[in-house]
Structures are given as C-alpha cells and as structure tokens.
Amino acid sequence: MVKTLERDLGIGAVFAISIGAMIGSGIFILPALALKIAGPAVILAYLLAGVLVVPAALSKSEMATAMPEAGGTYIYIERGMGPILGTIAGVGTWFSLSFKSALALVGGVPYLVLLFDLPVKPVAIGLAAFLIVVNMLGAKQTGRLQVGIVVVMLAALGWFVAGSVGSTQTVNYEPFFVGGWSGLLAATGLVFVSYAGVTKVASVAEEVENPGKNIPLGILGSLAFTTLLYVAIVAVMVGVTEAGSIAGSLTPVAVAAEATLGRTGVWAVIGAAILALVSTANAGILSSSRYPFAMSRDKLVPPSFATISDRFGTPTSSITLTGVVVLLLIAFVPILEIAKLASAFQILVFVLVNLAVFAFRQGAADYEPVFESPLYPWMQGFGVLSGLLLLTQMGTIALAGAVVIIVGSIVWYVVYARPRIQREGVATDVVRRRVGKNVLAETETLMTAESVTERNGNEVLVALTRDVSLDRERALLRLAADLARPNNGRLVVVRFDEVPDQAPLNHAAEVQSPADVRFEEQTDTLVDELDVDVDYGEIVSHDTKRAIVNFATQRDVSAVVAEHERLRLRSRLLADPIDWVVRHAPCDVLLVENRGYDRPQQVVLASEGGPYDPTTVAVADAIARETGGQVTLQFNMADGQSNQRRRTIEEYQTELAELLSASVSANVVRFDGGDSLPNPDVVIRRGATTRIWGGRDSQQRTTVDCTEVTVYPNESRRPGLVRRLIDRLVF
C-alpha cells in the first residue's frame, strides 16, 4: 500500500506557519539597521518590501496548487528552469537560510544580554552549536510549540503597538526621507528578508487540505497581515523615540518598549524576541538541510548529503555543512553584512521563482494549477525587474556574494552535475521552440526567392585556385549550375593564378602557360555539357584571396563556389582558423570537399548542434529540386538526451520539411554521434565563422565518401553572438 500524507492542515495552520516563518529577525533586529540607512522612511521600506514580495507569493501559490507535494522553492525552479538554475536556486536558498539563522542568533543574543551580562559572539556561537547538535540528534519543534511561539510573539508585539501608539510624536518623523530614494531602496532591499518565510508553507503543500484555496489564501493573507504589523511596529518605534536614538541599536524593540511600557514591556519584548529568534535560527538550520538532501537526490551534489544517520535518523552531512557555515558567519561577518547577504540571496531566489512560472505556463502541457496568478505575465515581469533593481542597491559585499554563488554554482554544475544527469527544465524547451520558430520564419522568408541566385544577383562565381582535372572542374560547374539554373542565372568560371610579388603582373598576364591552355580547353568542353550560360577567363594576381573578393564585389555575384584551398584562401597571419574569403566576401561562399558530383539523389542536410541555417537549407533544397533528388534531414544527438528534446526537434524538422519544394525523407535523429547517413551523394552543412556556432571548420573532413559542401552565408544573414550562443545551448 502506498503511503500518503494526510491533508489535515487547514487555513488557520497555514496562516500560523507563514506568520511564524516571517516574524523574527525582520522586526527585532533589522529596523535599527534600516533606520540608519533611510531614516524614518524605513516605514515605507517595510511597506514597499511587502509589496515587492507579492509577485513571488502569487507565483509560489500558483506552482504549489499545480504541484501540491512536499518540497520547496528549489523543486519548482529546478523542474521549471532546469538543473543549472536549480543548482543556483538550491545553493542560493541554502545560503539564505544559513545567513538567516546566523542573523537570528547574532541579533537575538543582545536581547538576552539585557538580562544577563554576557559576551554576544561567544554566546551566539554556543547557541548555534547547541542547535546544530539538537538537529543532529533528531529533536524537532512540534506543531503546538510553533503555534505557541507565534501566539506569544503576536501578543507581545500587539501589546507594544497598542500601548505605545498614543505616545508617538510627529516631530520624530521629520525629516522623513533622510537617505533620499537611494536610501529607501537600499533599506527596502535590506529588510526584504523579513518576508522570506511567506512561501514556506509551499514546502508542506502535500499536507494542506483544499490546497487550491487554502495555500494562496494563507500565503497572501499572512503576507498582508505581517506587512501591516511590520509597518505598525516600525512606525511606533520611530514615533516614540527621539530621532536616531534607535538607529544602529542591537535591541530596537526593547528600547522603544522601555520608553512607553516601562520595565514590564521590556521583559515581554525580550521574551518574545528570544523565543522568535531561537525558533528562527533552529528552523533555518532544520530547513536548510532539506536543500542539500533534495539536490543530492537529484544528483546535483554528492550522494553523501542524502545519507541518513542510522543512529539518529537525520541527514548529518547536510546539517554539519550548514552548521559550519552558520558558525563562520557568526564569528567573522558583521551583522549588517549578514543581513544584506541573506536578503540578496532571497531576492535572487524570488526572481527565479517568478521566471519559473513563465516556464511552466509556456512549456508544460501537464501544468494545471488550481489557482492562477492574476495579471500574468505583468505581475511576474514586475517581480523580476523589481528584484533585479533591489539587487543593485545591496552594496558591494552582497552583490559580490551573489555573483560568487552564481558563478560557483554554474562551475559546480558543469564539472560535477552535468555528466550525471539527463533531464532539462521546462524553460529550456520553451526557448528551444521559440528559437526553432524564429529560424523557421527566417527560412520561409529566404525560401520565397525562387533560387539561391535571386537573393543577391544572377551570377555564381566558380573560383579555381589551382590546376584541377576535367572531372573535378565538371563537378564544381555542375553544382554551381544547379544553383544558378532556376533563375536563368549564369556561371562565371575564373582561374585565379597567383604569382610571386617580385614578378610583374603585366608580364605574367601576357604569358600563357600550359596550365592556362588546359583550363581553357577543358572549360570550353564543359560549357557544352551545361544548360546555363557560362563566362570564363583568368585573373593574375599577387594575392588570390583578395582577387576573389574583389572580383565578386565588382560583378555583384550571388555566391562563390570553390574547392577548399587551405593555403591560398586563408589568412597567413596568426594562423587564423577562419577562411579570409569567407569573412570578406560580399556574398554567400560555398567551399567544396570535391569527391565528384553527378545529379545527386540523396542530399543530406546536416545540423552541427543548432537549428538548420536558412541559407544552407536553401542550397540543399535547390540542389535536390534541380536533380530530382531527396533531402534527408540529419540531426546528431547523443544518447541520454531528454525525450522532450527529441520530440521538439522532430516537430521542428516536420515544419521545416513543409517549407522545402524538394522531396524530404522521414525525419532522422541520430543518437550514436555519427556525422552522416549511409550512402549519401552530397552532404550540405553550415560552416562555422566562430567557435560558438559549433559548426564544422573548413579544415575538418569526414570519412564519408561523397562531396561535402560547407555553406557560409553572407554576413548580413549570420546570427549575432547572443543568438548563436542561445542556439548552441538549447539545441
């Protein structure tokens, strides 16, 4: 019998979990730090932070009702955005919880010091060590204890607000915008972590009754309640104390309570603060152990982090690692920087939460949330942009920490996780489909021309850069004729004769060598075999590659067809890996590995790790149409790729086949890493003008025994750097 979790958490329990996860360091510690930055405008900072959390709260509510199962933010981001962003989210959330635990302990001990004369850091370290041991031994909070802590906190804070509001003075709010708008945004970013727990209930979504209703109501209701409570408490704190008296204080709520409620109020606040902060620290250590555990289960981190102690029944490796980080933070990082780091990582995770909704909405066929976020996609877009704006206000250390975590997570994923996993996120397929549709649209636009030559002109230049046999020249001319014929185009066949720099060009042009005679005789013979107009001649120069480009520019040819000539056509400086003619020609360039060409029937269009290039598609279609052949689509895909990737590429191939005028064979997706099909007559592929595209360099040859044509589109039709990178990553 399959065991399931009983759905016995009602709206009240959901409300208590969310509020209990939020109230802690956010109100007992951060107001004084934020007041030092923004002055009385800290009141608005708490209100603004609450508003900016709304998109993530709505997004998390939606995903929790679509996937009401045990888990956390990491699960949603990993499934929606893919393993690499899941790694970033998992590591970022884990660090955020660790920072929050450290912040709670460093900020909670000063309240304890009000009762006992104790050193802050040693006591905080001792409490942290105690909580780490408690978590390792398997002790945990009960639901009743958590509810009891929430009740005590709310009672104490409610008494503080009600008993102090009458003592506020207008003068204490002036001047209001001490730090200006930049100070307000910086304070907003700092206190953002105060609302981090609002979506914690999603991690127990599998236990919530009627999750489609109770999860969004609980999350949004608790967020609204906590935001109003925070604003009220901070407004009272500022209003009952002299300007700046609590700015930078380690116990701001106690200072304010003493001014209005006397010693009794201080005792009540101290009790609530210690309970809340110890509870927050313990919950942070407990919760953070779930992230290495879940990531280990998904093979993103070593399996040791998913190991459960036989003696204690707890993930000791995860708890130990978290504990070490918490202890180091308490010992060496100032409390303000801990707060900024905690907020920065939480903002980053909430940005990814909003992006995950985009991915699920656009790409997951089985994504059916009971609750749907209103104002999609504007709400999520606002959440992403506002989060990125707040990150810029977090200061150098927080930003550096975020960058280090992101870069480190990516490196870890590439080195460790990527070889061990085969899945991908919904977002990857969304981007892949969009890339495919964009390339299909470009291909359709290009294919509206009746032929390759119609796009730029009606002449194809066949550039001969060395002596070739009759059969080799025949193959080049037949191929070029198939490209020119549909638009009544013509061929221009030119033998480029390169002479040393010391030799005068006039003299070389006047002397007819045996090679010149052979060229004229065999070209004259071949002209009679072709049903297109042909002009032919010779050009003498000191630099063949420049002569080809100059001639192509003067004649405004549509394409240059030439055999690979690795010495003549390439730059001789710095061993440039890209053909000079390719980079400077004003038209398409087709470089041919010439192994014969005689009305090919099997034309293979090969992809080199990206979508099929439109110009290359047009060349393959033109050849197959003129020879009565068939285009076979080839896409190399290694074993172990996701089924979704295969389905998407097959759909893309099907749509591409509908654009071609020639016959197209059944879609072919290779899984063995091979680079050709059995017995092709000619292989057409796109050439690489940069390493990012991933195409075949002109020096590389395959073992296939047929002519290979490498197509280099005119520069105006080459995709940009970002586009090439995206194509390479998603295809």
Side-chain angles (χ1 to χ4, degrees):
M1 184 177 69
V2 178
K3 293 183 179 181
T4 59
L5 297 177
E6 179 67 25
R7 294 190 180 278
D8 56 1
L9 297 180
I11 185 64
V14 173
F15 201 73
I17 290 172
S18 290
I19 293 177
M22 280 187 281
I23 297 179
S25 58
I27 198 60
F28 289 106
I29 303 170
L30 295 184
L33 300 177
L35 185 64
K36 200 170 183 180
I37 297 173
V42 66
I43 301 169
L44 283 183
Y46 273 90
L47 178 61
L48 182 57
V51 171
L52 296 182
V53 170
V54 170
L58 290 170
S59 297
K60 195 73 171 288
S61 298
E62 177 177 311
M63 290 186 289
T65 63
M67 297 168 281
E69 55 191 49
T73 302
Y74 155 74
I75 296 296
Y76 300 138
I77 295 175
E78 201 276 344
R79 301 299 184 264
M81 304 298 291
I84 187 167
L85 289 180
T87 303
I88 295 173
V91 174
T93 305
W94 174 70
F95 267 105
S96 181
L97 287 169
S98 300
F99 288 135
K100 193 173 182 182
S101 296
L103 178 64
L105 290 170
V106 173
V109 171
Y111 282 90
L112 189 62
V113 171
L114 292 176
L115 302 178
F116 308 101
D117 186 14
L118 299 170
V120 174
K121 279 197 174 182
V123 173
I125 291 174
L127 278 174
F130 172 74
L131 293 176
I132 293 167
V133 172
V134 166
N135 277 277
M136 281 190 175
L137 294 177
K140 61 179 180 180
Q141 293 176 320
T142 64
R144 289 183 179 179
L145 178 59
Q146 180 65 19
V147 172
I149 291 175
V150 171
V151 170
V152 171
M153 285 191 299
L154 292 181
L157 293 174
W159 178 38
F160 166 70
V161 172
S164 304
V165 67
S167 302
T168 59
Q169 299 181 31
T170 306
V171 68
N172 290 330
Y173 299 105
E174 299 174 354
F176 193 74
F177 284 100
V178 173
W181 287 105
S182 61
L184 174 62
L185 290 176
T188 301
L190 176 64
V191 304
F192 193 88
V193 73
S194 305
Y195 299 95
V198 66
T199 59
K200 185 178 180 181
V201 69
S203 64
V204 293
E206 198 171 350
E207 303 170 60
V208 177
E209 63 181 11
N210 193 9
K213 177 182 177 181
N214 288 337
I215 289 178
L217 277 179
I219 289 178
L220 297 174
S222 61
L223 175 60
F225 175 83
T226 305
T227 300
L228 294 176
L229 180 64
Y230 279 167
V231 170
I233 294 172
V234 175
V236 167
M237 276 196 292
V238 174
V240 300
T241 58
E242 295 182 1
S245 63
I246 63 172
S249 171
L250 297 179
T251 56
V253 184
V255 173
E258 186 174 20
T260 57
L261 302 177
R263 198 62 184 170
T264 304
V266 173
W267 278 82
V269 167
I270 290 174
I274 292 175
L275 281 175
L277 294 170
V278 172
S279 172
T280 299
N282 185 53
I285 294 173
L286 180 64
S287 299
S288 61
S289 65
R290 294 181 180 179
Y291 289 89
F293 184 87
M295 293 174 71
S296 177
R297 184 176 54 192
D298 288 339
K299 299 181 180 180
L300 295 179
V301 298
S304 59
F305 287 105
T307 302
I308 303 297
S309 170
D310 293 334
R311 181 177 181 183
F312 303 114
T314 56
T316 52
S317 297
S318 295
I319 295 173
T320 300
L321 180 62
T322 302
V324 169
V325 172
V326 171
L327 291 172
L328 291 175
L329 289 171
I330 293 173
F332 300 109
V333 182
I335 185 171
L336 178 60
E337 300 305 333
I338 294 177
K340 287 183 177 180
L341 286 165
S343 277
F345 289 124
Q346 193 58 57
I347 292 169
L348 177 64
V349 170
F350 277 6
V351 166
L352 293 177
V353 165
N354 285 307
L355 289 174
V357 172
F358 281 116
F360 281 118
R361 287 274 193 113
Q362 298 298 318
D366 57 349
Y367 180 69
E368 298 178 354
V370 178
F371 168 80
E372 292 188 354
S373 170
L375 301 178
Y376 172 87
W378 308 109
M379 181 64 70
Q380 284 67 33
F382 171 73
V384 171
L385 294 177
S386 61
L388 295 177
L389 174 63
L390 283 184
L391 279 176
T392 64
Q393 306 298 314
M394 298 304 297
T396 304
I397 293 180
L399 286 177
V403 170
V404 168
I405 292 299
I406 292 173
V407 174
S409 298
I410 293 174
V411 171
W412 175 265
Y413 171 78
V414 171
V415 173
Y416 177 84
R418 188 174 182 179
R420 292 171 170 81
I421 59 176
Q422 299 176 357
R423 64 187 179 276
E424 62 182 20
V426 174
T428 302
D429 194 60
V430 172
V431 176
R432 182 184 299 121
R433 289 178 180 274
R434 175 58 58 187
V435 168
K437 289 187 180 298
N438 290 341
V439 176
L440 285 171
E442 295 172 7
T443 304
E444 184 175 15
T445 300
L446 195 65
M447 297 291 286
T448 56
E450 294 181 1
S451 70
V452 176
T453 59
E454 186 183 12
R455 294 193 299 275
N456 291 329
N458 64 348
E459 290 188 338
V460 175
L461 168 62
V462 179
L464 302 177
T465 59
R466 59 182 173 180
D467 294 339
V468 295
S469 66
L470 178 65
D471 289 339
R472 294 176 71 86
E473 185 177 351
R474 176 183 288 116
L476 288 175
L477 267 60
R478 284 181 173 178
L479 189 155
D482 286 340
L483 300 179
R485 188 180 302 111
N487 195 42
N488 297 319
R490 62 192 297 117
L491 300 188
V492 182
V493 185
V494 178
R495 179 177 182 270
F496 291 87
D497 187 12
E498 183 173 305
V499 298
D501 292 341
Q502 297 86 351
L505 291 180
N506 290 340
H507 175 73
E510 293 173 355
V511 176
Q512 192 172 41
S513 66
D516 297 337
V517 174
R518 283 195 302 272
F519 163 72
E520 292 178 0
E521 290 177 348
Q522 67 188 32
T523 304
D524 190 57
T525 300
L526 294 173
V527 167
D528 296 333
E529 299 178 7
L530 304 173
D531 54 355
V532 298
D533 294 334
V534 180
D535 291 340
Y536 62 93
E538 300 171 66
I539 293 179
V540 179
S541 71
H542 292 307
D543 190 336
T544 296
K545 61 182 183 298
R546 293 183 183 275
I548 293 174
V549 170
N550 291 338
F551 183 85
T553 303
Q554 293 166 6
R555 292 291 291 255
D556 191 25
V557 301
S558 63
V560 173
V561 177
E563 287 190 338
H564 280 308
E565 183 66 62
R566 295 174 180 81
L567 296 179
R568 294 183 185 273
L569 301 186
R570 302 168 72 84
S571 171
R572 297 169 183 172
L573 297 176
L574 304 178
D576 189 350
I578 305 302
D579 291 290
W580 194 93
V581 171
V582 167
R583 290 190 285 110
H584 293 83
C587 57
D588 302 336
V589 177
L590 283 67
L591 299 184
V592 184
E593 289 287 353
N594 192 350
R595 303 183 183 103
Y597 183 93
D598 184 15
R599 297 191 62 79
Q601 297 301 293
Q602 185 65 265
V603 180
V604 173
L605 178 59
S607 171
E608 300 292 335
Y612 299 101
D613 170 67
T615 305
T616 308
V617 172
V619 170
D621 187 50
I623 291 174
R625 183 176 66 246
E626 290 302 309
T627 62
Q630 184 180 63
V631 175
T632 299
L633 301 175
Q634 175 187 354
F635 193 96
N636 295 337
M637 184 185 295
D639 288 328
Q641 300 296 309
S642 69
N643 290 331
Q644 182 59 59
R645 179 173 184 242
R646 180 180 183 180
R647 286 194 299 269
T648 300
I649 292 174
E650 288 176 341
E651 291 172 8
Y652 163 71
Q653 289 179 317
T654 299
E655 294 183 52
L656 177 63
E658 295 175 356
L659 299 179
L660 274 62
S661 57
S663 173
V664 180
S665 69
N667 297 334
V668 177
V669 179
R670 296 290 302 278
F671 288 90
D672 60 1
D675 62 358
S676 66
L677 291 174
N679 303 317
D681 296 316
V682 62
V683 174
I684 313 294
R685 56 169 47 92
R686 188 205 194 281
T689 53
T690 68
R691 295 303 185 189
I692 290 179
W693 178 268
R696 187 175 299 276
D697 180 30
S698 59
Q699 281 190 315
Q700 294 177 297
R701 299 171 62 123
T702 65
T703 57
V704 64
D705 187 22
C706 71
T707 290
E708 296 182 66
V709 181
T710 306
V711 180
Y712 295 88
N714 185 11
E715 186 176 5
S716 63
R717 291 193 300 275
R718 296 174 193 166
L721 174 63
V722 175
R723 160 74 179 279
R724 293 195 301 270
L725 182 59
I726 293 174
D727 289 353
R728 186 63 176 166
L729 289 175
V730 301
F731 261 80

